[in-house]
Amino acid sequence: MIPVTGFVGETVAVLGLGRSGLSAARALRAGGAEVIAWDDGEAGRAAAEAEGFVLRDLSKQGALDAVTWLVTSPGIPHLYPAPHPAIANALRAGVPVDNDIGLFFRSLGQGTWSEMEQPPRVVAITGSNGKSTTSALLHHILTEAGRPAELAGNIGRGVLDLDPPEDGAVIVLELSSYQTELARSLTPDVAVFTNLSPDHLDRHYGMGGYFAAKRRLFAEGGPDRAVIGVDDLEGLFLAGQLAEGAADDRVIRISNTQKLGGPGWTVTARKGFLSEMRKGRQVASIDLRKIAGLPGAHNHQNACAAYAAARALGLGPRDIEKGLHNYPGLPHRSQVIAQRDGLTFVNDSKATNADAAAQALAAFPKVRWICGGLQKEGGLDVLRPHLGHVVKAYVIGREAAAFGLQLGDVPQDICGDMETAVVRASAEAQPGEVVLLAPAAASFDQYDSFERRGAHFTALVLGETPQAE
């Protein structure tokens, strides 16, 4: 645990008692704060009460009297589409609102850091797609190279549940827009921006608000180095804002669609080859084509981001290459589940928006595509250039027929549920084809998470008898 500093003897309120909320409450108490807590769900309140925390409904009038700080969980809206009543109370009372990420950065660096030869460093990774893979991949590279490393944030452990880092350690954080938009302290040593595509637009009141939430990671603390994907306009703009000139190597630009020229520091992946350029000269090259854990151009972009972050931390190209080659991949992200009778079954349940699904489709030439669910903002237009890879679509979800209509003349089967889709796709697929779950939609119409959806697909492919919900 990393105790939260700066609140000794003060009363701090915690709203939302899931993983991050309970972790924050414990860390605040360990740091000497008096903690009151609330969750709108009975299970969260019971969990907190079992650990001895005082409960108080923070949405009621006067509930924040004598409270000096309010810590909220990332999923609770604080501005759009409307603030939670407890947060609205805090805003009116002038009580600062923060989250566990802000507490982490304000509390890190205490204790014995001044005695360390090499103080620990923090790499924070954000973006719409690929941030989980990039985070896990960087953590894997560091571990394989013998560097002590911890993985936390939107993946792995809660940030305040981490062990205090040792001399020379690296903390790798995956941060969502929900986490970056509210944290009052954001001071990573290295910050990574993978890409941007429409997501969570109701929460951020449009693409501008969504980008602004991501941009805070780079603007608030000023990282020593920034790794920026420049294949999107927003990334190109962000890199331009951060760099003092074309040769400024505090910004490492990455791309998997174009050759990046100039005197700056760049890492690109084209036709399956990663290339690092610095001051106009090639520093290293790695063949990514046969790395099983990183299939497709979208994963080659993730490899560029992790490689650039590792280089910013001082690792050599050969050490990084070793980590890339033995990376096992993450569950639910282009995960090969089985190969039999000439067929390959791939679980990409994490493809919860159209951009992520488009990247998955682009990775395979002949696809039996299982898609559908709770559709997000932005529509499916971004998928159209890749629909030629689809032999047939098998549409699931409560609104499967409406989803299927958007696919136009793509051959399709309105299946409704996962079991029907897997049975029909498996029966009709031919050798050399891929049965791919890449829904281009959220899971919540039929599952409580993309993990449960992916696990259901996996169990069906492997011949198990799972529960769908």
Side-chain angles (χ1 to χ4, degrees):
M1 178 189 296
I2 296 176
V4 173
T5 60
F7 298 105
V8 175
E10 297 183 19
T11 300
V12 179
V14 176
L15 176 65
L17 298 170
R19 184 188 70 164
S20 67
L22 270 178
S23 173
R26 297 183 194 111
L28 282 160
R29 182 165 61 185
E34 299 292 329
V35 178
I36 61 172
W38 185 255
D39 193 292
D40 291 336
E42 185 176 344
R45 296 196 298 270
E49 195 167 30
E51 294 193 29
F53 291 107
V54 175
L55 298 178
R56 183 188 302 174
D57 187 344
L58 301 174
S59 63
K60 291 186 176 180
Q61 186 174 1
L64 294 175
D65 291 350
V67 168
T68 60
W69 213 261
L70 174 63
V71 177
T72 181
S73 294
I76 300 173
H78 61 272
L79 183 57
Y80 302 118
H84 185 279
I87 295 177
N89 283 348
L91 297 175
R92 283 191 288 265
V95 174
V97 181
D98 205 347
N99 61 19
D100 63 326
I101 304 300
L103 297 180
F104 167 82
F105 277 111
R106 69 177 284 159
S107 302
L108 197 65
Q110 306 297 319
T112 61
W113 276 41
S114 60
E115 302 169 10
M116 294 182 180
E117 291 185 12
Q118 187 178 354
R121 304 179 76 183
V122 178
V123 180
I125 299 167
T126 195
S128 296
N129 299 310
K131 57 185 181 292
S132 295
T133 295
T134 300
S135 301
L137 178 57
L138 176 60
H139 178 261
H140 175 79
I141 290 168
L142 290 165
T143 302
E144 288 294 298
R147 292 283 295 272
E150 296 185 84
L151 179 64
N154 208 39
I155 186 174
R157 304 165 71 181
V159 292
L160 294 170
D161 282 333
L162 289 172
D163 300 322
E166 60 186 271
D167 197 324
V170 179
I171 296 173
V172 181
L173 302 181
E174 179 199 337
L175 299 183
S176 71
S177 58
Y178 289 8
Q179 293 169 311
T180 58
E181 71 174 340
L182 193 60
R184 296 175 70 92
S185 179
L186 284 168
T187 54
D189 298 282
V190 179
V192 180
F193 177 90
T194 59
N195 51 56
L196 198 78
S197 60
D199 210 355
H200 311 304
L201 299 189
D202 57 339
R203 169 68 177 258
H204 299 296
Y205 211 63
M207 281 294 287
Y210 182 41
F211 177 52
K214 300 285 190 184
R215 182 182 175 277
R216 289 190 76 248
L217 181 60
F218 304 84
E220 294 299 311
D224 295 335
R225 279 222 160 83
V227 176
I228 309 292
V230 296
D231 290 332
D232 302 317
L233 178 60
E234 291 86 357
L236 190 64
F237 176 78
L238 180 59
Q241 280 198 312
L242 296 174
E244 294 293 333
D248 186 352
D249 67 1
R250 293 174 303 169
V251 176
I252 308 175
R253 292 171 171 84
I254 64 169
S255 172
N256 70 327
T257 66
Q258 57 188 306
K259 182 178 180 180
L260 300 176
W265 195 352
T266 66
V267 180
T268 59
R270 302 182 71 219
K271 298 182 180 180
F273 285 88
L274 181 150
S275 177
E276 178 188 1
M277 300 289 293
R278 198 166 185 183
K279 297 180 180 178
R281 309 176 98 182
Q282 182 168 294
V283 177
S285 178
I286 299 173
D287 186 351
L288 302 173
R289 293 173 298 175
K290 294 184 179 180
I291 299 178
L294 296 168
H298 61 301
N299 274 313
H300 294 173
Q301 184 196 47
N302 300 332
C304 288
Y307 177 97
R311 291 288 283 141
L313 293 169
L315 269 67
R318 298 286 75 83
D319 287 333
I320 300 172
E321 182 174 10
K322 178 184 175 183
L324 290 172
H325 276 281
N326 60 24
Y327 174 64
L330 274 178
H332 315 298
R333 297 159 177 88
S334 296
Q335 179 188 19
V336 176
I337 297 301
Q339 292 178 311
R340 60 174 181 259
D341 301 325
L343 306 180
T344 301
F345 295 82
V346 176
N347 168 20
D348 202 344
S349 183
K350 184 61 172 66
T352 59
N353 58 49
D355 284 86
Q359 293 170 352
L361 289 176
F364 307 105
K366 294 183 179 181
V367 177
R368 299 280 175 169
W369 180 31
I370 299 176
C371 57
L374 186 62
Q375 192 172 337
K376 294 186 176 182
E377 309 89 342
L380 300 179
D381 286 347
V382 71
L383 286 164
R384 305 208 182 281
H386 308 289
L387 292 179
H389 294 205
V390 178
V391 178
K392 189 173 184 180
Y394 302 81
V395 189
I396 64 173
R398 294 178 184 172
E399 302 296 330
F403 192 98
L405 284 174
Q406 298 179 69
L407 300 180
D409 59 0
V410 173
Q412 58 188 265
D413 190 340
I414 305 302
C415 298
D417 62 82
M418 183 72 76
E419 185 168 5
T420 301
V422 171
V423 168
R424 293 180 183 174
S426 301
E428 296 175 5
Q430 301 297 312
E433 295 179 348
V434 172
V435 177
L436 170 68
L437 172 65
S443 60
F444 301 125
D445 61 333
Q446 292 183 315
Y447 301 89
D448 61 10
S449 68
F450 73 82
E451 292 96 341
R452 291 292 293 273
R453 177 173 61 188
H456 190 199
F457 170 78
T458 299
L460 290 167
V461 168
L462 297 180
E464 300 172 1
T465 54
Q467 295 296 318
E469 299 181 9

